[in-house]
């Protein structure tokens, strides 16, 4: 079974801190994604990567950056956390083509 | 711009009922449609994936159908159980290169009462 893991289930950070969210997948998937999920807004794509060192902005990239130095790892970076970035963050991976997307367990981030 | 809508937003049924969840999308140019389950505070679990060339997929008590031309999909749950209580999300993968981006509906929150 594909396994997508995220470094933390719960995280509390202060405004202005630099925050790293890590995602690792074990199935050699080319595509990796970061979404955030908020009540009433659903899941929104922040960034995605279709190969090592390749990245593209999603629908809401402002305030975020990403890093993909190795195929299995995709990191989401909040350069200076703000309270409006309090959310559930979900990582996913998939093969190119028409394969299933597999999601991690999520990281609930609270910025105070 | 592709938009995905799920109706109803919430549903409460007694145990044992058969039920249908609806998903509609505005652009039929999709690779596939996927149904997910999400338990409170958890990640998404993939239930069924229907390719654009397929009409339906089945897994146990679940059956998903796809009518691409009308922009609709349904998730049928037979003989519902309290353990089926969760939020169900549908997502389409639009034609946009090979990136695998998904566009999600807002979800239907299902409660099955014992």
């Amino acid at each position: 079974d594909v396994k997508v893991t995220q470094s933390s289930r719960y995280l509390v950070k202060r405004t202005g801190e630099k925050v790293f969210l890590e995602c690792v997948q074990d199935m050699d998937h080319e595509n990796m994604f970061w979404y955030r999920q908020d009540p009433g807004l659903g899941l929104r794509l922040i960034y995605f990567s279709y190969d090592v060192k390749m990245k593209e902005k999603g629908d809401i990239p402002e305030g975020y950056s990403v890093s993909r130095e190795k195929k299995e790892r995709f990191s989401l970076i909040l350069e200076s956390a703000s309270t409006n970035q309090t959310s559930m963050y979900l990582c996913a991976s998939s093969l190119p083509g028409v394969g299933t997307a597999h999601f991690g367990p999520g990281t609930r981030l609270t910025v105070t | 711009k592709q938009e995905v809508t799920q109706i109803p937003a919430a549903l409460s049924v007694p145990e044992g009922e058969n039920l249908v969840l609806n998903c509609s999308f505005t652009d039929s140019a999709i690779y596939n449609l996927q149904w997910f389950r999400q338990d409170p505070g958890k990640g998404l679990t993939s239930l069924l994936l229907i390719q654009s060339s397929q009409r339906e997929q089945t897994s146990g008590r679940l059956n998903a159908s796809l009518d691409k031309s009308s922009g609709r999909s349904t998730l049928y749950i037979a003989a519902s159980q309290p353990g089926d209580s969760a939020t169900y999300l549908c997502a389409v993968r639009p034609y946009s290169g090979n990136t695998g981006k998904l566009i999600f509906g807002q979800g239907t929150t299902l409660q099955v009462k014992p």
Side-chain angles (χ1 to χ4, degrees), chain B residues 29-80:
Chain B
I30 62 170
Y31 280 118
N32 57 45
L33 183 145
Q34 197 164 353
W35 282 93
F36 295 89
R37 169 185 172 136
Q38 186 176 31
D39 293 293
K42 302 289 179 65
L44 277 64
T45 300
S46 179
L47 297 173
L48 290 164
L49 173 72
I50 312 176
Q51 304 295 354
S52 62
S53 59
Q54 297 175 323
R55 297 285 296 187
E56 65 179 307
Q57 283 287 330
T58 298
S59 176
R61 294 182 294 108
L62 305 179
N63 176 276
S65 68
L66 175 64
D67 184 344
K68 203 173 70 163
S69 61
S70 68
R72 292 181 182 178
S73 176
T74 61
L75 179 66
Y76 175 82
I77 303 177
S80 58

Side-chain angles (χ1 to χ4, degrees), chain A residues 16-99:
Chain A
E17 279 193 77
K18 190 168 186 175
V19 181
F20 292 86
L21 303 183
E22 305 283 343
C23 176
V24 178
Q25 50 94 3
D26 66 357
M27 283 301 290
D28 205 34
H29 285 174
E30 280 79 1
N31 298 333
M32 295 189 76
F33 310 85
W34 276 105
Y35 291 86
R36 65 177 281 178
Q37 185 178 29
D38 301 286
L41 296 175
L43 276 92
R44 294 177 291 168
L45 181 64
I46 305 171
Y47 265 98
F48 64 98
S49 168
Y50 50 90
D51 203 349
V52 176
K53 297 190 185 292
M54 305 301 288
K55 60 186 179 185
E56 282 197 26
K57 295 179 180 179
D59 300 318
I60 51 163
E62 296 79 18
Y64 303 94
S65 63
V66 291
S67 172
R68 193 163 181 204
E69 296 296 320
K70 293 185 178 181
K71 192 175 186 180
E72 67 272 17
R73 187 180 298 269
F74 191 35
S75 302
L76 180 69
I77 304 156
L78 287 65
E79 296 291 341
S80 177
S82 63
T83 55
N84 64 13
Q85 292 178 310
T86 291
S87 186
M88 170 71 104
Y89 289 87
L90 293 162
C91 174
S93 73
S94 71
L95 288 168
V98 295

